[in-house]
Amino acid sequence: MHVMKTLCATLTVVLGLATVNVAAGQDVLPSWREGASKQAIIEFVQQVTNPNSSAFVPPKERIAVFDNDGTLWSEQPFYFQLAFALDRVKMLAPQHPEWKTQQPFKAVLENDIKALGASGEKGLAQLVMATHAGMTTTAFEQIVREWIQKAVHPRFHRPYTSVVYQPMLELLTYLREQGFKTYIVSGGGIEFMRPWAEAVYGIPPEQVIGSSFKTQLEMRDGEPVLVRLPEIDFINDKAGKPVGIYKFIGRRPIAAFGNSDGDLQMLQWTAAGKGPRFMMLIHHTDGEREWAYDRQSHIGRLDKALDEAQSRGWTIVDMKKDWQVIYPFQQ
Amino acid sequence: MHVMKTLCATLTVVLGLATVNVAAGQDVLPSWREGASKQAIIEFVQQVTNPNSSAFVPPKERIAVFDNDGTLWSEQPFYFQLAFALDRVKMLAPQHPEWKTQQPFKAVLENDIKALGASGEKGLAQLVMATHAGMTTTAFEQIVREWIQKAVHPRFHRPYTSVVYQPMLELLTYLREQGFKTYIVSGGGIEFMRPWAEAVYGIPPEQVIGSSFKTQLEMRDGEPVLVRLPEIDFINDKAGKPVGIYKFIGRRPIAAFGNSDGDLQMLQWTAAGKGPRFMMLIHHTDGEREWAYDRQSHIGRLDKALDEAQSRGWTIVDMKKDWQVIYPFQQ
């Protein structure tokens, strides 16, 4: 292996210039229209990967963190994980006859959006507990895999994993090719994302950080299994995002990508590090091809973070203007 | 980059045979004496890395987890992290005049081992809280870095980071060269290990899993910082090890290395996966070059795990017989 590594390292040096030229001839972000956002990304990457630049960052410190909902895939008409929970209530209903009369389950079974909304955060928590806990981790992974294969987005009538942003897929690939380690840092459930994040985003399970349930080791039929308890372990949102990043990665990222006030602290904490930094917000401005929402939205509200991005000069992506294509299926 | 990757991939295939021959000619584990333990390691690795074997495991699933205390470095005459806590009490004492009369601090300041022992787990918890919490994560990292550079082991009069096992360093390198991702999974503090694990073991911070304190995001002088709270977040020991592994990695390891009953559940959980598995216990049998202890020891007790390893045919390393060299400085 040493021989191979040395040989490849040598070739990398020898072919370095040629590689850069190939990259320069290609458009590494073809779904991004020419403009300030695209330019800012490329300039940052060129700066931190140039060994002759004072802003050079060694590969092991090239950590880039991405929110998921509204940053890598859509989050309308409501979070996709909520769609999973609602589908799961309907699937489990035959085993729970009491749900026919019990809120918030009754509302879900009757598609009564108003009553569901009225159940508030408490109702939501009940739905999440009833659908996300009580089984082994292996069983839950299987449940997620099956759902994600079959479920379709209500507007686009395609799998939810198709309702991802083509420009962000290109950005993930570009960063990884430039030696970055890409992480998801989401308020969503860690075990809801891990089963498909590698196939969809090229991000392996160990690079997915999210909110989690407590698990407990139990012996079942003489085999150790991890059981998901109906108890929240960690909420990886807002001020929890830097906590989650530090816990899992132990390094401060040099680049952070989000779309809502839930990402503000992650961007602030990334920005507070020494050396070159890149902070980006995706602004949902395309009511036609995607959705247009910001300061008043219940889902993915972008208000304080938008003010701060503007005042601090962080990159703000205008989806409508900056993105040639939104989804892979539109190419 | 694509060009380079393809070229290197091609070369890897073309040179595959030559690489294996070079490896066969070299001793990849020179500090391991020929015998069953060394043979078991090499056979396992050859099996899972051979694309023609039915036991082949793709690189991304080649996760190997290592306990730290007693598995990668020594843990006698007491855990090195306890030495850190005791040194830190002495350093902080001038700011805490009350410690002169308050146990367990008084015992530490007077080097009264008996009184320290009498303070029990409660006393230990007090020491840990007083020395590991209350500062920012950045400040704590700096404290650990300074201590690990200066502190010396009482028996070997060398830095604690020299009191690591040469055969295990070779094993870590060998596994990584064979496409494994190596993780530390320790009962010790995650932030106590991360500042030096990369330099000593080649294991980056994001591959260190350990026990942790809660942290909280605060604004100080207009900058976000993470503050270590005097509250345990997670104990990564015994049944906590599979929980920690699943939380951080999201995959089951295919190889697990430990030395005490605290590692039993990690080995059991690793063993319970499908396909080829490798479970190893380090048995401290060398009272001369290191220490000899097992079933009766307060530190690193190896009792139930030893029985289980014997009955299930897990590899048990006999330090005295199997290791040519214990520490790098003895070479």
Side-chain angles (χ1 to χ4, degrees):
Chain A
M1 284 306 279
H2 278 131
V3 175
M4 261 312 294
K5 280 193 182 163
T6 311
L7 186 54
C8 283
T10 310
L11 280 168
T12 306
V13 172
V14 171
L15 299 179
L17 198 64
T19 308
V20 170
N21 284 345
V22 169
Q26 282 175 346
D27 186 350
V28 290
L29 299 171
S31 300
W32 292 73
R33 292 202 185 102
E34 298 306 321
S37 296
K38 181 172 183 170
Q39 199 181 332
I41 296 168
I42 290 175
E43 277 176 8
F44 171 75
V45 172
Q46 285 181 342
Q47 205 184 21
V48 299
T49 56
N50 178 0
N52 301 319
S53 162
S54 63
F56 179 74
V57 175
K60 64 181 184 177
E61 291 169 25
R62 290 181 204 156
I63 305 284
V65 289
F66 292 81
D67 170 58
N68 186 39
D69 298 309
T71 299
L72 295 180
W73 71 359
S74 288
E75 57 188 350
Q76 301 285 359
F78 44 69
Y79 295 123
F80 298 175
Q81 192 172 356
L82 179 57
F84 165 75
L86 301 184
D87 283 356
R88 186 119 187 92
V89 165
K90 291 174 186 170
M91 203 178 295
L92 292 172
Q95 298 154 49
H96 293 275
E98 74 279 13
W99 286 357
K100 279 184 193 157
T101 55
Q102 206 178 68
Q103 292 295 12
F105 303 99
K106 183 170 182 284
V108 176
L109 298 177
E110 295 171 355
N111 292 313
D112 183 347
I113 302 294
K114 204 177 158 192
L116 184 59
S119 76
E121 286 204 5
K122 198 187 151 206
L124 187 64
Q126 281 179 286
L127 286 182
V128 169
M129 292 299 169
T131 53
H132 285 66
M135 68 293 279
T136 66
T137 53
T138 311
F140 186 71
E141 281 170 30
Q142 191 53 32
I143 290 165
V144 172
R145 270 181 226 283
E146 282 171 15
W147 181 82
I148 207 94
Q149 273 173 16
K150 287 183 199 160
V152 292
H153 187 277
R155 174 171 164 191
F156 297 106
H157 309 292
R158 290 169 180 273
Y160 286 97
T161 49
S162 299
V163 188
V164 296
Y165 304 132
Q166 175 63 25
M168 298 305 284
L169 298 181
E170 292 167 9
L171 178 56
L172 286 167
T173 302
Y174 172 53
L175 290 175
R176 286 194 293 260
E177 284 185 354
Q178 297 295 321
F180 281 76
K181 206 164 178 176
T182 53
Y183 280 83
I184 290 175
V185 178
S186 169
I190 191 166
E191 283 97 13
F192 176 73
M193 297 179 284
R194 281 175 162 174
W196 49 266
E198 187 151 27
V200 175
Y201 300 134
I203 297 179
E206 61 269 30
Q207 286 161 230
V208 175
I209 303 172
S211 298
S212 55
F213 281 77
K214 287 204 170 158
T215 64
Q216 181 177 285
L217 192 74
E218 290 181 14
M219 295 301 281
R220 292 193 178 173
D221 303 324
E223 291 286 309
V225 294
L226 291 169
V227 177
R228 293 169 62 82
L229 305 180
E231 193 183 340
I232 296 293
D233 178 45
F234 181 63
I235 299 287
N236 190 57
D237 199 25
K238 300 188 175 73
K241 288 202 173 190
V243 171
I245 291 169
Y246 189 75
K247 183 193 299 209
F248 278 73
I249 313 180
R251 303 190 203 257
R252 197 190 298 256
I254 65 166
F257 304 82
N259 77 298
S260 78
D261 284 358
D263 303 313
L264 177 57
Q265 288 89 341
M266 174 169 85
L267 270 65
Q268 287 172 330
W269 196 64
T270 300
K274 285 176 195 154
R277 302 281 137 177
F278 189 77
M279 281 65 61
M280 176 179 268
L281 279 178
I282 311 293
H283 191 188
H284 293 261
T285 51
D286 196 328
E288 217 167 293
R289 294 185 300 170
E290 209 243 4
W291 283 269
Y293 58 96
D294 49 30
R295 296 184 192 275
Q296 305 301 323
S297 179
H298 288 292
I299 295 166
R301 176 172 303 186
L302 176 63
D303 183 27
K304 285 183 187 166
L306 190 57
D307 291 339
E308 187 147 342
Q310 283 164 348
S311 72
R312 297 180 68 172
W314 295 344
T315 300
I316 302 170
V317 171
D318 181 329
M319 278 179 90
K320 191 172 176 176
K321 282 192 199 159
D322 288 340
W323 288 0
Q324 185 82 37
V325 171
I326 306 282
Y327 303 118
F329 57 80
Q330 295 169 332
Q331 280 182 300
Chain B
M1 285 304 277
H2 278 133
V3 175
M4 262 312 294
K5 279 189 184 167
T6 311
L7 187 54
C8 283
T10 310
L11 280 167
T12 305
V13 172
V14 172
L15 299 178
L17 198 63
T19 308
V20 170
N21 284 345
V22 169
Q26 282 176 349
D27 186 351
V28 290
L29 299 171
S31 300
W32 292 71
R33 293 204 185 99
E34 298 306 321
S37 296
K38 182 172 182 170
Q39 200 182 331
I41 296 168
I42 291 176
E43 277 176 10
F44 171 75
V45 172
Q46 286 180 342
Q47 205 184 21
V48 299
T49 56
N50 178 358
N52 301 318
S53 162
S54 63
F56 178 73
V57 175
K60 64 180 185 178
E61 290 168 24
R62 291 182 205 155
I63 305 285
V65 290
F66 291 81
D67 171 58
N68 185 39
D69 298 310
T71 300
L72 295 180
W73 71 359
S74 288
E75 58 187 351
Q76 301 285 359
F78 43 69
Y79 295 123
F80 297 176
Q81 192 171 355
L82 180 57
F84 165 75
L86 301 184
D87 283 357
R88 186 118 189 94
V89 165
K90 290 173 186 172
M91 203 178 295
L92 292 173
Q95 298 154 48
H96 294 274
E98 73 280 12
W99 286 355
K100 280 184 193 154
T101 55
Q102 204 178 68
Q103 292 297 13
F105 304 99
K106 183 171 182 284
V108 176
L109 298 178
E110 294 171 357
N111 293 311
D112 183 346
I113 302 294
K114 205 177 153 191
L116 185 58
S119 76
E121 286 203 5
K122 197 186 150 204
L124 186 66
Q126 280 179 287
L127 287 180
V128 169
M129 292 298 169
T131 53
H132 285 67
M135 67 292 277
T136 66
T137 53
T138 311
F140 186 71
E141 280 171 30
Q142 191 53 31
I143 290 165
V144 171
R145 271 181 224 283
E146 282 171 15
W147 181 82
I148 206 94
Q149 272 173 15
K150 287 182 199 160
V152 291
H153 187 276
R155 173 173 164 190
F156 297 106
H157 309 292
R158 290 170 181 273
Y160 286 96
T161 49
S162 298
V163 188
V164 296
Y165 304 131
Q166 176 62 26
M168 296 305 284
L169 298 181
E170 293 167 8
L171 178 55
L172 286 168
T173 303
Y174 172 53
L175 289 175
R176 287 193 294 259
E177 284 185 352
Q178 297 296 321
F180 281 77
K181 206 164 179 177
T182 54
Y183 279 83
I184 290 175
V185 178
S186 169
I190 190 165
E191 284 97 14
F192 176 72
M193 298 178 284
R194 281 176 163 173
W196 50 266
E198 187 150 26
V200 175
Y201 301 133
I203 297 179
E206 62 268 30
Q207 285 162 230
V208 176
I209 303 172
S211 297
S212 55
F213 282 78
K214 287 204 170 159
T215 64
Q216 181 177 286
L217 192 75
E218 290 182 11
M219 295 301 281
R220 291 192 179 174
D221 303 325
E223 291 286 309
V225 293
L226 290 169
V227 177
R228 292 169 62 82
L229 305 180
E231 192 183 340
I232 297 293
D233 178 43
F234 181 63
I235 299 286
N236 190 57
D237 200 22
K238 300 188 176 74
K241 287 202 174 189
V243 171
I245 292 169
Y246 189 75
K247 184 193 299 210
F248 279 73
I249 312 179
R251 300 191 207 257
R252 197 190 298 254
I254 65 164
F257 303 83
N259 76 298
S260 78
D261 284 358
D263 303 312
L264 177 56
Q265 288 89 340
M266 175 169 83
L267 270 64
Q268 287 172 331
W269 195 64
T270 300
K274 285 176 196 155
R277 304 278 137 179
F278 189 76
M279 281 65 61
M280 177 179 268
L281 280 178
I282 311 294
H283 192 187
H284 293 262
T285 51
D286 195 328
E288 217 166 291
R289 295 185 299 171
E290 209 243 4
W291 285 268
Y293 57 97
D294 48 29
R295 296 184 192 274
Q296 305 302 323
S297 179
H298 288 294
I299 294 166
R301 174 172 305 184
L302 177 62
D303 183 26
K304 284 183 188 166
L306 190 56
D307 291 339
E308 186 148 341
Q310 283 164 347
S311 72
R312 297 181 66 173
W314 295 345
T315 300
I316 302 170
V317 171
D318 182 329
M319 277 179 89
K320 191 172 177 176
K321 282 192 200 159
D322 288 341
W323 288 0
Q324 186 81 38
V325 172
I326 306 282
Y327 302 119
F329 57 81
Q330 294 168 333
Q331 281 183 300

